[in-house]
Amino acid sequence: MRDVSVTGVPDELRGQSIKAWIELMPGHPGGAELSEAIVAHVKENFSRFAYPRFIEYVSALPKSATGKVQRAQLRELPHVVASPRLEGQQS
Protein backbone atom coordinates (compact mmCIF):
# COMPACT_ATOMS: atom_id res chain seq x y z
CA MET A 1 0.00 0.00 0.00
CA ARG A 2 1.17 3.48 -0.81
CA ASP A 3 -1.38 5.41 1.25
CA VAL A 4 -4.64 4.87 3.15
CA SER A 5 -7.43 7.11 4.36
CA VAL A 6 -10.36 6.05 6.51
CA THR A 7 -13.71 7.86 6.69
CA GLY A 8 -17.21 7.27 7.89
CA VAL A 9 -19.80 6.61 5.18
CA PRO A 10 -23.60 6.22 5.29
CA ASP A 11 -24.76 2.68 6.05
CA GLU A 12 -28.39 1.60 6.00
CA LEU A 13 -27.88 -0.92 8.84
CA ARG A 14 -25.57 0.98 11.20
CA GLY A 15 -26.21 4.59 10.24
CA GLN A 16 -22.50 5.02 9.52
CA SER A 17 -19.70 2.55 8.83
CA ILE A 18 -15.95 2.66 8.38
CA LYS A 19 -14.62 2.81 4.83
CA ALA A 20 -10.94 2.50 3.88
CA TRP A 21 -9.73 4.17 0.70
CA ILE A 22 -6.48 2.48 -0.34
CA GLU A 23 -3.92 3.72 -2.85
CA LEU A 24 -1.80 0.76 -3.92
CA MET A 25 1.77 0.72 -5.16
CA PRO A 26 2.09 0.43 -8.95
CA GLY A 27 1.80 -3.16 -10.13
CA HIS A 28 0.00 -4.40 -7.01
CA PRO A 29 -3.66 -5.19 -7.64
CA GLY A 30 -6.32 -4.91 -4.98
CA GLY A 31 -8.93 -7.58 -4.60
CA ALA A 32 -10.97 -9.72 -2.28
CA GLU A 33 -7.92 -11.57 -0.91
CA LEU A 34 -6.16 -8.33 0.05
CA SER A 35 -9.38 -6.91 1.52
CA GLU A 36 -9.84 -9.96 3.72
CA ALA A 37 -6.21 -9.75 4.87
CA ILE A 38 -6.67 -6.07 5.79
CA VAL A 39 -9.85 -6.82 7.77
CA ALA A 40 -8.14 -9.72 9.57
CA HIS A 41 -5.14 -7.54 10.43
CA VAL A 42 -7.32 -4.79 11.90
CA LYS A 43 -9.40 -7.27 13.91
CA GLU A 44 -6.27 -8.93 15.30
CA ASN A 45 -4.19 -5.81 16.04
CA PHE A 46 -6.72 -3.09 16.79
CA SER A 47 -10.35 -3.89 17.46
CA ARG A 48 -12.72 -6.66 16.47
CA PHE A 49 -15.51 -4.16 15.82
CA ALA A 50 -13.62 -1.18 14.34
CA TYR A 51 -12.60 -2.77 11.04
CA PRO A 52 -13.48 -1.25 7.66
CA ARG A 53 -16.82 -2.58 6.43
CA PHE A 54 -16.04 -1.13 3.00
CA ILE A 55 -12.74 -1.02 1.11
CA GLU A 56 -12.15 0.81 -2.14
CA TYR A 57 -8.93 0.75 -4.12
CA VAL A 58 -8.10 4.01 -5.87
CA SER A 59 -5.31 5.06 -8.21
CA ALA A 60 -4.63 8.21 -6.15
CA LEU A 61 -6.03 9.79 -3.00
CA PRO A 62 -6.94 13.49 -3.26
CA LYS A 63 -4.28 15.55 -1.48
CA SER A 64 -3.72 19.18 -0.60
CA ALA A 65 -0.66 21.17 -1.65
CA THR A 66 0.99 20.11 1.62
CA GLY A 67 0.35 16.41 0.94
CA LYS A 68 -2.50 15.84 3.40
CA VAL A 69 -5.33 13.57 2.25
CA GLN A 70 -8.51 15.56 1.69
CA ARG A 71 -11.05 13.30 3.36
CA ALA A 72 -13.93 15.69 2.65
CA GLN A 73 -13.42 15.04 -1.07
CA LEU A 74 -13.48 11.29 -0.43
CA ARG A 75 -16.77 11.59 1.46
CA GLU A 76 -18.31 13.45 -1.50
CA LEU A 77 -17.59 10.59 -3.91
CA PRO A 78 -20.47 8.20 -4.65
CA HIS A 79 -20.75 5.38 -2.14
CA VAL A 80 -22.50 2.12 -2.94
CA VAL A 81 -24.02 0.71 0.25
CA ALA A 82 -24.84 -2.68 -1.30
CA SER A 83 -21.26 -3.87 -1.79
CA PRO A 84 -19.55 -4.40 1.56
CA ARG A 85 -15.79 -4.76 2.04
CA LEU A 86 -14.87 -4.50 -1.64
CA GLU A 87 -16.22 -1.80 -3.89
CA GLY A 88 -14.17 -2.17 -6.99
CA GLN A 89 -10.77 -2.75 -8.37
CA GLN A 90 -8.14 -0.18 -9.17
CA SER A 91 -9.92 2.92 -10.46
Side-chain angles (χ1 to χ4, degrees):
M1 288 182 266
R2 174 176 280 170
D3 206 353
V4 176
S5 184
V6 179
T7 64
V9 293
D11 185 325
E12 291 177 359
L13 290 174
R14 296 172 184 86
Q16 192 171 44
S17 284
I18 299 169
K19 179 173 181 176
W21 307 80
I22 300 173
E23 180 182 340
L24 296 171
M25 298 293 286
H28 291 83
E33 186 176 321
L34 179 58
S35 295
E36 292 300 323
I38 291 166
V39 169
H41 176 78
V42 172
K43 285 181 175 181
E44 182 178 320
N45 294 287
F46 298 98
S47 172
R48 295 206 49 79
F49 63 87
Y51 64 92
R53 300 303 201 280
F54 303 94
I55 296 175
E56 184 170 348
Y57 298 100
V58 296
S59 56
L61 292 169
K63 295 185 181 172
S64 69
T66 60
K68 293 178 91 176
V69 174
Q70 296 184 328
R71 294 184 313 175
Q73 286 186 8
L74 291 174
R75 286 188 209 103
E76 292 172 3
L77 296 175
H79 173 68
V80 180
V81 177
S83 48
R85 292 212 184 145
L86 181 63
E87 286 195 354
Q89 299 301 322
Q90 193 89 351
S91 58

